[in-house]
Amino acid sequence: MSSHSLEQFLTENIEDLKSKGLYNVIDPLQGPNGPTIDIEGKSLINLSSNNYLGLATDNRLVDASIEAAKKYGAGAGAVRTINGTMDLHLELEHKLAEFKHTEAVITYQSGFNCNMAAISAVMDKNDAILSDELNHASIIDGCRLSRAKTIRFKHSDMEDLRAQAKAAKESGLYNKIMVITDGVFSMDGDIAKLPEIVQIAEEFDLITYVDDAHGSGVLGQGAGTVKHFGLSDRIDFQIGTLSKAIGVVGGYVAGSTKLIEWLKLRSRPFLFSTAMPPASVAAIIASVDILMNDQTLIKKLWENGDFLKSELKKLGFDVGHSETPITPCIIGDEVKTQEFSKRLYEEGVYAKAIVFPTVPKGTGRIRNMPTAAHSREMLEQVVSVYEKVGKELGII
Ligand SMILES: *Cc1c(COP(=O)(O)O)cnc(C)c1O
């Protein structure tokens, strides 16, 4: 029997979420997470994955996984620092460093773990972190874990960043100051103003940290937002995920040899959590190989993104100010957003409603993620369903 106080807490809070339209229902897939998905025996066009390049279901990755599982087993057996490091892990890290144009790379079990690992390995209570107000939850948690003073700056507002950096520097209160930003903001699809951020960082001696979970495999010939701006040697930390465009699972930090050496000595998820399984590592190696040798999928992703965005805009939807294939469709009211998503589902389109706390209250949206794996016919079908449901609910 659970305690009375726990029971009361859970009941009240779950009911509260339901009444506000903030209760998220999880729909299990009955097969792969491809351009179409099967849910409850129904096939739907899928616009909700982060599988940007369709690599999650690519046979080259699947075959590499099977071979590695047969050779190395299903699990790594230990944390990286004891004897969980296999030659495959090192091969992947070397390959990623080459791909990212940095001296070295360390991998973790997830992108989320990277932010748990890397921030607190260098920042402590005598430091400050300037953090974009729309940064990802894992960055926020990573900052908290470090116990540094977190100073939020207005989203991509370079005047505000400069003013806060100046104030923090001149206060003399902090040993080190870091600036952290997403490379691509996942809910709006806009790109961080890295050239200005780097300039401000150089002026005030800030450590620079870019979490490029949504930029990797999408911008800069796949190498990410930092490469896109030609800033590979001027950013201290580049975080990437292996779970989105790369199509598998895991994350990495790319940076200088000395930084990576330190993270291998002192970052806690590296020291205290088991290494990534060999099948996943082999699949990631295959995936990065594809990206390094062939731009076809990236090109297709952008074509599909541009098509969907311009068609929805033509119909009169508010697609925000995305600069990437991420195509939000902003509805506003949370309950209406959920209703819109539900109607899309009934019409055969799977596009999730994103509401508070993932985005600010009153900015509920459908987040559409076209991928390289979608055909033009699928996207045309999506557009006609959007038109029908948009008119029906009085949104266009
Ligand atoms: C998705 C995401 C993560 C988490 O990556 P996982 O590999 O899924 O754990 C971290 N940071 C940002 C900015 C993200 O968008």
Side-chain angles (χ1 to χ4, degrees):
M1 200 190 90
S2 63
S3 85
H4 179 69
S5 56
L6 175 62
E7 196 62 37
Q8 189 179 350
F9 167 84
L10 297 174
T11 307
E12 278 176 11
N13 285 287
I14 291 170
E15 286 312 316
D16 184 52
L17 291 180
K18 283 185 177 163
S19 72
K20 290 180 179 149
L22 303 178
Y23 185 88
N24 182 38
V25 179
I26 296 172
D27 309 308
L29 304 190
Q30 295 161 324
N33 199 339
T36 61
I37 47 177
D38 293 336
I39 295 172
E40 296 175 317
K42 182 177 157 105
S43 176
L44 300 134
I45 299 173
N46 174 21
L47 287 175
S48 286
S49 82
N50 294 318
N51 179 21
Y52 288 112
L53 301 174
L55 288 167
T57 54
D58 190 288
N59 280 333
R60 293 166 286 186
L61 276 66
V62 175
D63 290 344
S65 291
I66 293 167
E67 267 176 47
K70 285 188 175 154
K71 179 170 175 196
Y72 293 87
V79 302
R80 289 286 303 274
T81 48
I82 308 288
N83 64 1
T85 296
M86 292 162 164
D87 50 11
L88 277 181
H89 292 95
L90 298 183
E91 183 187 339
L92 172 60
E93 287 168 346
H94 287 134
K95 196 174 285 291
L96 284 170
E98 190 191 330
F99 180 53
K100 298 296 285 188
H101 304 271
T102 59
E103 286 176 11
V105 157
I106 179 173
T107 53
Y108 294 93
Q109 307 86 347
S110 73
F112 201 104
N113 254 359
C114 289
N115 288 325
M116 297 302 105
I119 303 169
S120 55
V122 298
M123 304 302 278
D124 63 32
K125 62 181 186 337
N126 300 311
D127 299 323
I129 302 172
L130 299 157
S131 176
D132 188 290
E133 66 183 349
L134 292 191
N135 277 345
H136 188 258
S138 60
I139 299 177
I140 295 167
D141 288 6
C143 291
R144 282 187 188 140
L145 198 56
S146 76
R147 299 198 293 154
K149 166 85 177 165
T150 303
I151 303 165
R152 300 201 324 168
F153 62 92
K154 291 196 196 107
H155 175 54
S156 277
D157 182 333
M158 293 300 109
E159 256 173 58
D160 192 36
L161 173 60
R162 172 181 292 278
Q164 307 253 29
K166 188 165 189 284
K169 189 76 187 168
E170 286 173 358
S171 73
L173 289 170
Y174 310 111
N175 289 343
K176 304 192 280 311
I177 306 172
M178 178 183 266
V179 55
I180 304 193
T181 183
D182 275 28
V184 171
F185 290 86
S186 61
M187 295 305 141
D188 293 281
D190 54 325
I191 303 173
K193 295 175 180 159
L194 293 185
E196 287 99 320
I197 290 175
V198 163
Q199 243 175 21
I200 294 168
E202 286 172 0
E203 190 177 337
F204 297 103
D205 187 29
L206 312 178
I207 300 166
T208 46
Y209 188 112
V210 177
D211 180 347
D212 209 18
H214 287 277
S216 310
V218 176
L219 285 162
Q221 287 89 45
T225 312
V226 172
K227 171 80 178 356
H228 167 75
F229 286 116
L231 296 168
S232 301
D233 53 351
R234 290 166 74 189
I235 297 285
D236 297 307
F237 290 76
Q238 287 188 62
I239 313 305
T241 176
L242 302 166
S243 331
K244 290 172 180 156
I246 302 294
V248 191
V249 72
Y252 59 90
V253 182
S256 70
T257 306
K258 201 181 275 179
L259 172 64
I260 302 309
E261 182 185 3
W262 177 248
L263 294 177
K264 287 187 172 180
L265 294 166
R266 276 294 174 271
S267 61
R268 295 167 72 82
F270 191 80
L271 298 171
F272 299 111
S273 183
T274 298
M276 275 201 286
S280 298
V281 178
I284 298 162
I285 291 172
S287 181
V288 177
D289 273 337
I290 293 169
L291 285 191
M292 286 171 81
N293 293 308
D294 185 1
Q295 297 285 304
T296 320
L297 291 174
I298 298 175
K299 204 165 149 268
K300 185 82 193 297
L301 165 67
W302 280 86
E303 279 169 17
N304 281 347
D306 290 344
F307 175 77
L308 185 64
K309 214 183 289 170
S310 71
E311 292 299 307
L312 291 183
K313 213 173 183 169
K314 261 190 242 162
L315 287 176
F317 285 104
D318 175 5
V319 297
H321 48 273
S322 173
E323 303 167 80
T324 61
I326 297 172
T327 306
C329 184
I330 299 158
I331 313 270
D333 178 71
E334 281 76 21
V335 177
K336 196 158 201 177
T337 308
Q338 303 278 20
E339 194 186 344
F340 196 96
S341 173
K342 187 163 158 276
R343 284 290 299 124
L344 291 177
Y345 182 98
E346 287 162 3
E347 297 291 332
V349 174
Y350 195 86
K352 272 302 237 197
I354 308 277
V355 295
F356 180 80
T358 311
V359 294
K361 280 205 174 109
T363 70
R365 67 201 58 195
I366 309 292
R367 182 156 152 274
N368 301 292
M369 302 288 245
T371 72
H374 288 99
S375 66
R376 182 53 61 91
E377 292 69 36
M378 289 175 192
L379 295 179
E380 281 165 353
Q381 173 66 14
V382 166
V383 171
S384 77
V385 168
Y386 255 86
E387 182 173 14
K388 177 174 176 192
V389 176
K391 284 181 176 156
E392 183 186 302
L393 297 184
I395 288 160
I396 52 167

